[in-house]
């Protein structure tokens, strides 16, 4: 059995891994884990990732969780072009810096914006108080400002002149609130131009393909009662 | 001007960077930034790091934030022994996996434990509801269990037979909880034995030195009102 990637393209980090593997022609078996059906809790999947999260990688007997670790593993094992994770000391450090920062910053804002604005109402029938949503969107805005001022600056991509895994991780995050109707790029021309560059570097077709499921999230039917209760408990923190 | 490290040993990620640099004989100027005096809000420091956080590395004109990025930069630039961040594909992936997971898991739990159990009530004079503290401690328990079951298992260290960056980042987090008065190693012989190994690998003297501040934080006098006002918003944001 070759490389297996356990993904749900509704999840931002899964999209980053999917795009990276496809773009670099890395052969893999796609194992879809439907989060909205609770498939991450199946006995089979727990063997692959006891953290019960996607993405997860299985390469023979070797299993790996955490999208950042998976992206770095793939880039090394399949010797992806240097620009994805540069060998250069300072360029590489800039990528590491972004990948570390984003966990508790952009990632958090984008997940919360998505759940509070779209998935909570659509899937769970939950409306968060307007002040909560306003506060989340304000935080998203601050993180977008940091993205522009600290990372992008006057560069073509987040960490320099070429696309890296940092850009992939960032763009897949930003598409989350975009699909929820947040005008992330409309009011930020610098970011909009960066987005065009990233899409062009990735390839339009692959970018669309990776985001197809997400762009249809607003048309998802509400979950049945049992699933609703289960998910509500799991995403409690994201609704605040 | 050679390498400068802007640190406050009150902070877990600063301790990891400090121990790593000292252990590996990396020459640096220590620039102390006292968080409890609000020194991270000074104009000079904001110039260096607009995110107003520690640790920060300055190497000539190159400035770097994020402890994980700093640790990786130091391993590469100073060509530290392989075991810290092994070349072996799978061992390295294990380290990356831990370093990614910890941001929103153990790190978050240990930070909240320190503030909910000790710093908010004692330093800030802001009582914390019993249910909030109980919830935080329960989450910490969850992370400790994952630490044993997923990351450590039956190995000597997280990535295998030798200490790596993952162990260093983890131990400095756990000492945060210890500084708050949580006996995280009691009733967890596996973790306690791992801690002994990590201390021995780092060196008892260096380990004590790095942890002097956090182990005395419970004796901090209460913050004066000016400081309290200055620090509260950022602390609440940090531990949300």
């Amino acid at each position: 059995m070759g490389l297996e990637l356990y993904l749900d393209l509704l999840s931002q980090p899964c999209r980053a891994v999917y795009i990276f593997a496809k773009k670099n022609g890395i052969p893999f078996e796609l194992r879809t884990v439907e989060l909205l059906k609770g498939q991450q809790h199946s006995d089979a999947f727990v063997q692959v990732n006891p953290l019960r999260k996607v993405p997860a990688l299985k390469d023979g007997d070797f299993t790996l969780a955490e999208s950042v670790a998976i992206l770095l593993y793939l880039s090394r094992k399949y010797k992806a072009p240097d620009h994805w994770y540069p060998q250069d000391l300072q360029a590489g450090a800039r990528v590491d810096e972004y990948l570390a920062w984003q966990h508790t910053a952009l990632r958090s804002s984008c997940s919360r914006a998505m759940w509070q604005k779209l998935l909570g109402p659509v899937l769970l029938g939950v409306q968060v108080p307007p002040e909560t949503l306003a506060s989340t969107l304000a935080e998203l805005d601050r993180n977008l400002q940091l993205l522009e001022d600290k990372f992008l600056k006057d560069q073509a991509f987040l960490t320099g002149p070429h696309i890296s895994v940092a850009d992939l991780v960032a763009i897949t995050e930003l598409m989350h609130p975009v699909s929820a109707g947040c005008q992330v790029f409309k009011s930020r021309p610098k970011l909009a131009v960066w987005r065009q560059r990233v899409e062009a570097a990735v390839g339009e077709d692959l970018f669309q393909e990776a985001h197809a499921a997400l762009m249809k999230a607003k048309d998802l039917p509400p979950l049945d009662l049992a699933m609703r209760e289960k998910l509500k408990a799991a995403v409690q923190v994201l609704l605040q | 001007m050679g390498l400068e490290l802007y640190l406050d040993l009150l902070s877990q990620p600063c301790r990891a960077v400090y121990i790593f640099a000292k252990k590996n004989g990396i020459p640096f100027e220590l620039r102390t930034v006292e968080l409890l005096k609000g020194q991270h809000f000074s104009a000079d420091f904001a110039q260096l790091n607009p995110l107003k956080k520690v640790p920060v590395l300055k190497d000539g004109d190159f400035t770097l934030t994020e402890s994980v990025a700093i640790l990786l930069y130091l391993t590469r630039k100073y060509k530290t022994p392989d075991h810290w961040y092994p070349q072996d594909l799978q061992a390295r992936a294990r380290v990356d996996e831990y370093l990614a997971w910890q941001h929103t898991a153990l790190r978050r739990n240990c930070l909240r434990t320190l503030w909910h159990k000790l710093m908010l009530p004692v330093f800030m004079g802001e009582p914390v509801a019993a249910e909030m503290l109980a919830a935080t401690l329960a989450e910490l328990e969850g992370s400790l269990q994952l630490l044993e079951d997923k990351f450590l298992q039956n190995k000597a260290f997280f990535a295998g037979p030798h200490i790596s960056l993952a162990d260093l980042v983890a131990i400095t987090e756990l000492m945060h909880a210890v500084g708050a008065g949580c006996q995280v190693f009691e009733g967890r012989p596996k973790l306690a034995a791992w801690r002994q190994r990590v201390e021995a690998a780092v060196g008892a003297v260096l380990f004590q030195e790095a942890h002097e501040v956090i182990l005395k934080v419970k004796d901090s006098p209460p913050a004066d009102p000016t400081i309290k006002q200055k620090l509260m918003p950022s602390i609440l944001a940090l531990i949300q």
Side-chain angles (χ1 to χ4, degrees):
Chain A
M1 176 57 69
L3 181 70
E4 297 165 85
L5 294 176
Y6 292 74
L7 309 176
D8 182 338
L9 294 183
L10 272 183
S11 135
Q12 321 92 298
C14 287
R15 293 194 292 271
V17 169
Y18 182 81
I19 291 173
F20 186 79
K22 286 270 179 175
K23 179 67 183 171
N24 286 286
I26 294 169
F28 68 92
E29 292 281 343
L30 173 63
R31 304 274 180 238
T32 300
V33 178
E34 290 187 75
L35 298 175
L36 297 182
K37 292 184 177 165
Q39 290 177 356
Q40 68 275 35
H41 299 294
S42 75
D43 290 337
F45 184 68
V46 171
Q47 295 296 320
V48 175
N49 185 11
L51 296 171
R52 299 165 190 243
K53 290 181 169 188
V54 285
L57 170 153
K58 193 167 190 293
D59 196 1
D61 290 328
F62 181 67
T63 57
L64 188 64
E66 290 298 331
S67 63
V68 169
I70 291 169
L71 287 165
L72 297 184
Y73 178 84
L74 293 176
S75 77
R76 286 169 185 137
K77 180 167 177 177
Y78 297 91
K79 300 185 182 357
D82 181 74
H83 64 80
W84 287 111
Y85 189 62
Q87 290 276 36
D88 176 80
L89 189 65
Q90 293 189 5
R94 289 266 91 91
V95 178
D96 289 333
E97 187 185 42
Y98 182 78
L99 295 178
W101 173 80
Q102 58 89 26
H103 286 280
T104 52
L106 195 66
R107 166 112 225 257
S108 169
S109 309
C110 289
S111 293
R112 290 180 17 254
M114 181 67 168
W115 275 94
Q116 291 174 23
K117 199 162 193 296
L118 183 81
L119 295 179
V122 165
L123 297 176
L124 307 177
V126 162
Q127 297 290 345
V128 300
E131 317 84 66
T132 307
L133 180 59
S135 156
T136 296
L137 295 179
E139 200 192 298
L140 175 60
D141 206 59
R142 282 192 295 276
N143 282 314
L144 292 174
Q145 197 60 49
L146 279 169
L147 196 64
E148 285 196 33
D149 296 344
K150 176 177 166 60
F151 293 100
L152 187 57
K153 299 187 286 204
D154 293 317
Q155 303 171 129
F157 294 95
L158 288 181
T159 56
H162 305 293
I163 193 172
S164 75
V165 292
D167 300 279
L168 268 192
V169 168
I171 198 76
T172 51
E173 285 299 336
L174 292 180
M175 292 308 288
H176 234 48
V178 163
S179 73
C182 294
Q183 309 293 12
V184 162
F185 297 107
K186 290 235 162 87
S187 54
R188 291 176 178 280
K190 207 179 191 180
L191 274 191
V193 169
W194 163 79
R195 174 208 174 149
Q196 300 307 335
R197 282 191 219 106
V198 174
E199 275 196 57
V202 162
E204 291 290 337
D205 287 347
L206 175 55
F207 194 86
Q208 298 308 332
E209 185 193 323
H211 288 93
L214 179 71
M215 298 324 272
K216 291 189 297 199
K218 63 188 184 313
D219 304 321
L220 285 169
L223 296 174
D224 69 55
L225 204 58
M227 207 49 229
R228 208 185 295 183
E229 289 313 302
K230 200 169 184 181
L231 202 57
K232 218 185 269 191
V235 301
Q236 208 40 255
V237 140
L238 297 177
L239 295 170
Q240 286 159 22
Chain B
M1 177 60 66
L3 182 70
E4 295 166 87
L5 294 175
Y6 291 76
L7 308 175
D8 182 341
L9 295 182
L10 181 67
S11 134
Q12 324 90 296
C14 285
R15 293 194 289 272
V17 170
Y18 182 80
I19 290 173
F20 186 76
K22 284 274 181 175
K23 178 69 184 170
N24 286 286
I26 294 169
F28 67 94
E29 292 282 342
L30 173 64
R31 304 272 181 238
T32 300
V33 180
E34 290 187 76
L35 299 174
L36 295 185
K37 291 183 179 168
Q39 289 179 356
H40 50 311
F41 291 116
S42 76
D44 283 344
F45 189 72
Q47 181 93 316
L48 181 73
N49 183 15
L51 294 173
K52 305 181 193 193
K53 289 181 167 188
V54 284
V56 182
L57 170 151
K58 193 166 191 293
D59 196 1
D61 289 327
F62 182 66
T63 307
L64 186 65
T65 63
E66 291 296 333
S67 63
V68 169
I70 291 171
L71 288 166
L72 294 177
Y73 178 85
L74 294 175
T75 61
R76 289 169 182 139
K77 180 168 179 177
Y78 296 92
K79 300 183 181 5
T80 54
D82 181 72
H83 63 80
W84 287 111
Y85 192 57
Q87 286 279 30
D88 175 77
L89 189 67
Q90 293 188 6
R92 179 167 286 197
R94 288 267 87 89
V95 178
D96 287 333
E97 186 186 51
Y98 182 77
L99 295 179
W101 173 82
Q102 56 91 25
H103 288 280
T104 51
L106 191 68
R107 164 113 228 254
R108 178 186 145 80
N109 298 145
C110 290
L111 194 60
R112 284 161 65 88
T113 297
L114 181 74
W115 284 91
H116 289 163
K117 194 172 193 315
L118 184 76
M119 298 302 278
L120 279 175
V122 169
F123 181 69
M124 295 293 216
E126 292 287 323
V128 171
E131 313 85 64
M132 167 126 271
L133 179 58
T136 295
L137 295 177
E139 276 180 39
L140 176 62
E141 270 302 305
S143 283
L144 294 175
Q145 199 58 50
L146 277 171
L147 220 55
E148 288 195 16
D149 296 344
K150 176 184 163 49
F151 293 102
L152 187 55
Q153 294 173 5
N154 293 315
K155 297 170 278 167
F157 297 94
F158 286 1
H162 306 292
I163 192 171
S164 73
L165 294 177
D167 304 279
L168 199 54
V169 167
I171 198 79
T172 51
E173 289 298 337
L174 293 176
M175 294 304 289
H176 228 51
V178 168
C182 284
Q183 308 299 356
V184 298
F185 299 106
E186 241 151 73
R188 290 185 178 274
K190 206 179 193 180
L191 268 191
W194 163 81
R195 178 218 171 136
Q196 299 306 337
R197 288 193 287 275
V198 174
E199 273 197 58
V202 161
V205 171
L206 174 56
F207 193 86
Q208 296 309 331
E209 184 193 324
H211 288 97
E212 212 184 308
V213 172
I214 190 64
L215 291 175
K216 287 193 305 200
V217 78
K218 62 189 182 314
D219 304 322
S220 303
D224 70 55
T226 330
I227 277 292
K228 181 175 166 174
Q229 196 174 36
K230 198 171 190 181
L231 298 183
M232 259 323 240
S234 62
I235 282 162
L236 292 177
L238 192 65
I239 63 172
Q240 74 167 12

